[in-house]
Amino acid sequence: MAKPFGAICNLECSYCYYLGKKEMYPASESFRMSDPVLDQYIRQYIDSQDTEEVTFVWQGGEPTLLGLGFFEKALELQARHGQGRKISNSLQTNGTNLTDEWCEFFHRHHFLIGVSIDGPRKIHDRYRLDKKQQPTFDRVVNGIALLKKHKVEFNTLTVVNRTNAAQPLDVYRFLKRLGSRYLQFIPIVEIDHQRSTPGRTVVTQESVEPRQFGEFLIRIFDEWVRHDVGQTFVQLFDNTLSRHMGLPSTVCAFGETCGEAMAIEHNGDVFSCDHFVYPEYRLGNIMETPLADIALSERQQQFGRMKKDGLPKYCRECHVLFACNGECPKHRFLKTHDGEEGLNYLCTAYQRFFHHTDPYMKTMAHLLHRGRPASDVMRLAN
């Protein structure tokens, strides 16, 4: 994924893990991806893909702060270097800057837009404030209304935190009323380094608790499996069904290995993952080393293998390993009961969720294998 404006954002969400990344670069440095870096990134990224369709993922910070001109330039370069290949674009935004002009552009060029929203007004505005500490809910909802007006395909990304995790159905039903049919629920888990001590890791006050997160997922799943299968698509539910059908994970956090979701910063620096944008995970710069060589480097291959190789015995013997695979390495900072390192902070949440959903997932997988729609499970669940 590309971070063409680095960590620059017009919001100051209290749980954001990326805002501080700008401190890795000199204060005098421009965080706008330059034309030469943009050109090299697009050319090298297209050349490194062996798929019929090449997808660019634009994130931030807040990428719309770059202005339409930046993305018009990006599309020109994609056409120039694409050599007739199909190219698609997705962009993750906080939604506060969207206008008719932006949405008309997205519609015309078939962008898929992800909008970050944490739930109804009171829940959303708990943590998602702007630089002046003003609420953003109305601006985000207005942005979504404009996307719908211009028939732009969009999904919603909801950060599950200690506040909204206590109100799962309020959040889920609100997102459906808003018109979202594709939902992502991303748990926020951040270490509070000031309060943590050797042998005792403390998370920030915004971080979701394992018990909360497990209950959050189960409550939403129970409503979804009775009323919304085939109409509303929840990323984690879809991924779990894929695993029950013997298909690869569609979400990197649940893959057996990782390392395919690298992040490129505004100046061309490439990191192992956008959750690991730290100096020790910097792999190189595309202005010095070709992107394909960076991706295939032994350092990155080792990073990807460590997700599997670093699993403690407790995980390797777990009944839900096939679906979980230890989840994201970023969250694996606890010890198992016998003192082994590498247990995921959210382990108990995922165990509860995967065990609870197991009979329904098996039924849906059976239905699909027989050529019937997964939505038939609703008749059995009610």
Coordinates of all heavy atoms in Angstrom, one line a residue, residues 157-211:
L157 N -14.7 1.0 7.1 CA -13.7 0.5 8.0 C -14.0 1.0 9.4 O -13.9 2.2 9.6 CB -12.3 0.8 7.6 CG -11.1 0.1 8.3 CD1 -9.9 0.1 7.4 CD2 -10.8 0.9 9.6
T158 N -14.2 0.1 10.3 CA -14.5 0.5 11.7 C -13.5 0.0 12.6 O -13.2 -1.2 12.7 CB -15.9 0.0 12.1 OG1 -16.9 0.5 11.3 CG2 -16.2 0.3 13.6
V159 N -12.8 1.0 13.3 CA -11.8 0.6 14.3 C -12.5 0.2 15.6 O -13.3 1.0 16.2 CB -10.8 1.8 14.6 CG1 -9.9 1.4 15.7 CG2 -10.1 2.1 13.3
V160 N -12.4 -1.0 16.0 CA -13.0 -1.5 17.2 C -12.2 -1.2 18.4 O -11.0 -1.6 18.5 CB -13.3 -3.0 17.1 CG1 -14.1 -3.5 18.3 CG2 -14.0 -3.4 15.8
N161 N -12.7 -0.3 19.2 CA -11.9 0.2 20.4 C -12.7 -0.1 21.7 O -13.8 -0.7 21.7 CB -11.7 1.7 20.2 CG -13.0 2.5 19.9 OD1 -13.9 2.6 20.7 ND2 -13.1 3.0 18.7
R162 N -12.2 0.5 22.8 CA -12.8 0.1 24.0 C -14.2 0.8 24.2 O -15.0 0.3 25.1 CB -11.9 0.6 25.2 CG -12.2 -0.1 26.5 CD -11.1 0.0 27.5 NE -9.8 -0.6 27.0 CZ -8.7 -0.7 27.8 NH1 -8.7 -0.2 29.0 NH2 -7.6 -1.2 27.3
T163 N -14.5 1.8 23.4 CA -15.8 2.4 23.5 C -16.9 1.7 22.7 O -17.9 1.2 23.2 CB -15.8 3.9 23.1 OG1 -14.9 4.6 24.1 CG2 -17.1 4.5 23.2
N164 N -16.6 1.6 21.4 CA -17.7 1.0 20.5 C -17.8 -0.5 20.6 O -18.8 -1.1 20.3 CB -17.5 1.4 19.0 CG -16.2 0.9 18.4 OD1 -15.4 0.2 19.0 ND2 -15.9 1.3 17.2
A165 N -16.8 -1.2 21.2 CA -16.8 -2.6 21.4 C -18.0 -3.0 22.3 O -18.5 -4.1 22.3 CB -15.5 -3.1 21.9
A166 N -18.4 -2.0 23.2 CA -19.4 -2.3 24.2 C -20.8 -2.2 23.5 O -21.8 -2.5 24.2 CB -19.3 -1.4 25.3
Q167 N -20.9 -1.7 22.3 CA -22.2 -1.5 21.6 C -22.2 -2.1 20.2 O -22.4 -1.4 19.2 CB -22.5 0.0 21.6 CG -22.5 0.6 22.9 CD -22.7 2.1 22.9 OE1 -23.7 2.6 22.4 NE2 -21.7 2.9 23.3
P168 N -22.0 -3.4 20.1 CA -21.8 -4.1 18.8 C -23.0 -3.9 17.9 O -22.9 -3.6 16.7 CB -21.6 -5.5 19.1 CG -22.1 -5.7 20.5 CD -21.9 -4.4 21.2
L169 N -24.2 -4.1 18.3 CA -25.4 -4.1 17.5 C -25.7 -2.6 17.1 O -26.2 -2.4 16.0 CB -26.6 -4.8 18.1 CG -26.4 -6.3 18.3 CD1 -27.7 -6.9 18.9 CD2 -26.1 -7.0 17.0
D170 N -25.5 -1.7 18.0 CA -25.7 -0.3 17.6 C -24.8 0.1 16.5 O -25.2 0.8 15.5 CB -25.4 0.6 18.8 CG -26.5 0.5 19.9 OD1 -27.6 0.0 19.6 OD2 -26.2 0.9 21.0
V171 N -23.5 -0.3 16.5 CA -22.6 -0.1 15.5 C -23.0 -0.7 14.2 O -23.0 -0.1 13.1 CB -21.2 -0.5 15.9 CG1 -20.2 -0.4 14.7 CG2 -20.7 0.3 17.1
Y172 N -23.3 -2.0 14.2 CA -23.6 -2.8 13.0 C -24.8 -2.3 12.4 O -24.9 -2.1 11.1 CB -23.8 -4.3 13.4 CG -24.1 -5.2 12.3 CD1 -23.3 -5.4 11.2 CD2 -25.3 -5.9 12.3 CE1 -23.6 -6.2 10.2 CE2 -25.7 -6.7 11.3 CZ -24.8 -6.9 10.2 OH -25.2 -7.8 9.2
R173 N -25.9 -2.1 13.1 CA -27.1 -1.6 12.5 C -27.0 -0.2 12.0 O -27.6 0.1 10.9 CB -28.3 -1.6 13.6 CG -28.6 -3.1 13.9 CD -29.5 -3.1 15.2 NE -29.8 -4.5 15.6 CZ -30.4 -4.8 16.7 NH1 -30.7 -3.9 17.6 NH2 -30.7 -6.1 17.0
F174 N -26.2 0.6 12.6 CA -26.0 2.0 12.1 C -25.3 1.9 10.7 O -25.6 2.6 9.8 CB -25.1 2.8 13.1 CG -24.5 4.1 12.5 CD1 -25.3 5.2 12.3 CD2 -23.2 4.1 12.1 CE1 -24.8 6.3 11.8 CE2 -22.7 5.3 11.5 CZ -23.5 6.4 11.4
L175 N -24.2 1.1 10.6 CA -23.5 1.0 9.4 C -24.4 0.5 8.2 O -24.3 1.0 7.1 CB -22.3 0.1 9.5 CG -21.2 0.6 10.5 CD1 -20.2 -0.5 10.7 CD2 -20.5 1.9 9.9
K176 N -25.3 -0.4 8.6 CA -26.2 -0.9 7.5 C -27.2 0.3 7.1 O -27.5 0.4 5.9 CB -27.0 -2.1 8.1 CG -26.2 -3.3 8.2 CD -27.1 -4.6 8.2 CE -28.1 -4.5 9.4 NZ -29.0 -5.6 9.4
R177 N -27.7 1.0 8.1 CA -28.6 2.1 7.7 C -27.9 3.2 6.9 O -28.5 3.9 6.1 CB -29.1 2.8 9.0 CG -30.1 2.0 9.8 CD -30.9 2.8 10.8 NE -30.0 3.5 11.7 CZ -29.6 3.0 12.9 NH1 -30.0 1.8 13.3 NH2 -28.8 3.7 13.7
L178 N -26.6 3.3 7.1 CA -25.8 4.3 6.4 C -25.6 3.9 4.9 O -25.3 4.7 4.1 CB -24.4 4.4 7.1 CG -23.6 5.6 6.8 CD1 -24.3 6.9 7.3 CD2 -22.3 5.5 7.6
G179 N -25.9 2.6 4.6 CA -25.8 2.1 3.3 C -24.6 1.3 3.0 O -24.3 0.9 1.8
S180 N -23.8 1.0 4.0 CA -22.6 0.1 3.8 C -23.0 -1.3 3.7 O -23.7 -1.9 4.6 CB -21.6 0.3 5.0 OG -20.5 -0.5 4.8
R181 N -22.6 -2.0 2.7 CA -22.8 -3.4 2.5 C -21.5 -4.2 2.7 O -21.6 -5.4 2.8 CB -23.4 -3.7 1.1 CG -24.7 -3.1 0.9 CD -25.3 -3.5 -0.5 NE -25.4 -4.9 -0.6 CZ -24.9 -5.6 -1.6 NH1 -24.3 -5.1 -2.6 NH2 -25.1 -7.0 -1.7
Y182 N -20.4 -3.5 2.7 CA -19.1 -4.2 2.9 C -18.4 -3.6 4.1 O -18.0 -2.4 4.1 CB -18.2 -4.0 1.7 CG -18.9 -4.7 0.4 CD1 -19.7 -3.9 -0.4 CD2 -18.7 -6.0 0.1 CE1 -20.3 -4.5 -1.5 CE2 -19.3 -6.6 -1.0 CZ -20.1 -5.8 -1.8 OH -20.7 -6.4 -2.9
L183 N -18.3 -4.4 5.2 CA -17.8 -3.9 6.5 C -16.5 -4.5 6.9 O -16.3 -5.7 6.8 CB -18.9 -4.1 7.6 CG -20.2 -3.3 7.6 CD1 -21.0 -3.4 6.3 CD2 -21.0 -3.7 8.8
Q184 N -15.6 -3.7 7.4 CA -14.4 -4.2 8.0 C -14.4 -3.8 9.5 O -14.6 -2.6 9.8 CB -13.1 -3.6 7.3 CG -13.0 -4.0 5.9 CD -11.7 -3.4 5.3 OE1 -10.6 -3.7 5.8 NE2 -11.9 -2.7 4.2
F185 N -14.0 -4.7 10.3 CA -13.9 -4.4 11.8 C -12.4 -4.6 12.1 O -12.0 -5.8 12.1 CB -14.8 -5.2 12.6 CG -16.3 -4.9 12.4 CD1 -17.1 -5.8 11.8 CD2 -16.8 -3.6 12.7 CE1 -18.5 -5.5 11.6 CE2 -18.1 -3.3 12.5 CZ -19.0 -4.3 11.9
I186 N -11.7 -3.6 12.5 CA -10.3 -3.7 12.7 C -10.0 -3.4 14.2 O -10.3 -2.3 14.7 CB -9.5 -2.7 11.9 CG1 -9.8 -2.9 10.4 CG2 -8.0 -2.9 12.1 CD1 -9.5 -4.2 9.8
P187 N -9.5 -4.3 15.0 CA -9.3 -4.1 16.4 C -8.1 -3.1 16.6 O -7.1 -3.3 15.9 CB -9.0 -5.5 17.0 CG -8.4 -6.2 15.8 CD -9.1 -5.7 14.6
I188 N -8.2 -2.2 17.5 CA -7.1 -1.3 17.8 C -6.4 -1.9 19.1 O -7.0 -2.1 20.1 CB -7.5 0.1 18.1 CG1 -6.3 1.0 18.3 CG2 -8.5 0.3 19.2 CD1 -5.4 1.2 17.1
V189 N -5.2 -2.3 18.9 CA -4.3 -2.8 20.0 C -3.0 -2.1 19.9 O -2.2 -2.3 19.0 CB -4.1 -4.3 19.9 CG1 -3.2 -4.8 21.0 CG2 -5.5 -5.0 19.9
E190 N -2.7 -1.2 20.9 CA -1.5 -0.4 20.9 C -0.9 -0.6 22.3 O -1.6 -0.5 23.3 CB -1.7 1.0 20.6 CG -2.1 1.3 19.1 CD -1.1 0.9 18.1 OE1 0.1 1.2 18.4 OE2 -1.4 0.4 17.1
I191 N 0.4 -0.8 22.3 CA 1.1 -0.9 23.6 C 1.4 0.5 24.2 O 1.8 1.4 23.5 CB 2.5 -1.6 23.4 CG1 2.2 -3.1 23.0 CG2 3.3 -1.6 24.7 CD1 3.5 -3.9 22.6
D192 N 1.1 0.7 25.5 CA 1.4 1.9 26.2 C 2.8 1.7 26.7 O 3.1 1.1 27.8 CB 0.4 2.1 27.3 CG 0.6 3.5 28.0 OD1 1.7 4.0 28.0 OD2 -0.4 4.0 28.5
H193 N 3.8 2.2 26.0 CA 5.2 2.0 26.4 C 5.6 2.7 27.7 O 6.5 2.3 28.4 CB 6.1 2.5 25.2 CG 6.0 1.6 24.0 ND1 6.5 0.4 23.9 CD2 5.3 1.9 22.8 CE1 6.2 -0.1 22.7 NE2 5.5 0.7 22.0
Q194 N 4.9 3.8 28.0 CA 5.2 4.5 29.2 C 4.8 3.8 30.5 O 5.4 3.8 31.5 CB 4.5 5.9 29.2 CG 5.1 6.9 28.2 CD 4.5 8.3 28.3 OE1 3.4 8.4 28.8 NE2 5.3 9.3 27.9
R195 N 3.7 3.0 30.4 CA 3.2 2.3 31.5 C 3.7 0.8 31.6 O 3.6 0.1 32.6 CB 1.7 2.3 31.5 CG 1.1 3.7 31.7 CD -0.4 3.7 31.4 NE -1.1 2.8 32.3 CZ -2.3 2.2 31.9 NH1 -2.8 2.4 30.7 NH2 -2.9 1.4 32.7
S196 N 4.2 0.3 30.4 CA 4.7 -1.0 30.4 C 6.0 -1.2 31.1 O 6.8 -0.2 31.1 CB 4.8 -1.5 28.9 OG 3.5 -1.6 28.3
T197 N 6.2 -2.3 31.7 CA 7.5 -2.6 32.4 C 8.0 -3.9 31.9 O 7.3 -4.7 31.3 CB 7.3 -2.6 33.9 OG1 6.3 -3.6 34.2 CG2 6.8 -1.3 34.4
P198 N 9.3 -4.2 32.1 CA 9.8 -5.5 31.7 C 9.0 -6.7 32.3 O 8.8 -6.7 33.6 CB 11.2 -5.5 32.3 CG 11.6 -4.1 32.3 CD 10.4 -3.3 32.7
G199 N 8.5 -7.5 31.5 CA 7.6 -8.6 32.0 C 6.2 -8.3 32.1 O 5.4 -9.2 32.4
R200 N 5.8 -7.0 31.9 CA 4.4 -6.6 32.0 C 4.0 -5.6 30.9 O 4.5 -4.5 30.9 CB 4.1 -6.0 33.3 CG 2.6 -5.6 33.5 CD 2.3 -5.2 34.9 NE 1.0 -4.7 35.1 CZ 0.6 -3.4 35.0 NH1 1.5 -2.5 34.8 NH2 -0.7 -3.1 35.2
T201 N 3.3 -6.1 29.9 CA 2.9 -5.2 28.8 C 1.5 -4.6 29.0 O 0.6 -5.4 29.3 CB 2.9 -6.0 27.5 OG1 4.2 -6.5 27.2 CG2 2.5 -5.1 26.3
V202 N 1.4 -3.3 28.9 CA 0.1 -2.6 29.2 C -0.3 -2.0 27.9 O 0.5 -1.4 27.1 CB 0.3 -1.5 30.2 CG1 -1.0 -0.8 30.5 CG2 0.8 -2.1 31.6
V203 N -1.6 -2.1 27.5 CA -2.1 -1.5 26.3 C -2.7 -0.1 26.6 O -3.0 0.2 27.8 CB -3.1 -2.4 25.6 CG1 -2.5 -3.7 25.1 CG2 -4.3 -2.6 26.5
T204 N -2.9 0.7 25.6 CA -3.4 2.0 25.8 C -4.9 2.0 26.2 O -5.6 0.9 26.0 CB -3.3 2.8 24.5 OG1 -4.0 2.1 23.4 CG2 -1.9 3.0 24.0
Q205 N -5.4 3.0 26.7 CA -6.8 3.1 27.2 C -7.8 2.9 26.1 O -8.9 2.6 26.3 CB -7.0 4.4 28.0 CG -6.9 5.6 27.2 CD -7.2 6.9 28.0 OE1 -7.4 6.8 29.2 NE2 -7.1 8.0 27.3
E206 N -7.4 3.3 24.8 CA -8.3 3.1 23.7 C -8.4 1.7 23.2 O -9.3 1.3 22.5 CB -7.9 4.0 22.6 CG -7.9 5.5 22.9 CD -6.6 6.0 23.4 OE1 -5.7 5.1 23.6 OE2 -6.4 7.2 23.5
S207 N -7.4 0.9 23.5 CA -7.3 -0.5 22.9 C -8.5 -1.3 23.4 O -8.9 -1.3 24.6 CB -6.0 -1.1 23.4 OG -4.9 -0.5 22.8
V208 N -9.0 -2.1 22.5 CA -10.1 -3.0 22.8 C -9.6 -4.2 23.7 O -8.4 -4.6 23.6 CB -10.7 -3.6 21.5 CG1 -9.7 -4.5 20.8 CG2 -12.0 -4.3 21.8
E209 N -10.4 -4.6 24.6 CA -10.1 -5.7 25.5 C -10.5 -7.0 24.8 O -11.5 -7.1 24.1 CB -10.7 -5.6 26.8 CG -10.3 -4.3 27.6 CD -11.1 -4.1 28.9 OE1 -12.3 -4.6 28.9 OE2 -10.6 -3.5 29.8
P210 N -9.7 -8.1 25.0 CA -10.0 -9.4 24.4 C -11.5 -9.8 24.6 O -12.2 -10.3 23.7 CB -9.0 -10.4 25.0 CG -7.9 -9.5 25.3 CD -8.4 -8.2 25.8
R211 N -11.9 -9.8 25.9 CA -13.3 -10.2 26.2 C -14.3 -9.4 25.4 O -15.2 -9.9 24.8 CB -13.5 -10.0 27.7 CG -15.0 -10.3 28.1 CD -15.2 -9.9 29.5 NE -14.9 -8.4 29.7 CZ -15.7 -7.5 29.3 NH1 -16.9 -7.7 28.7 NH2 -15.4 -6.2 29.4

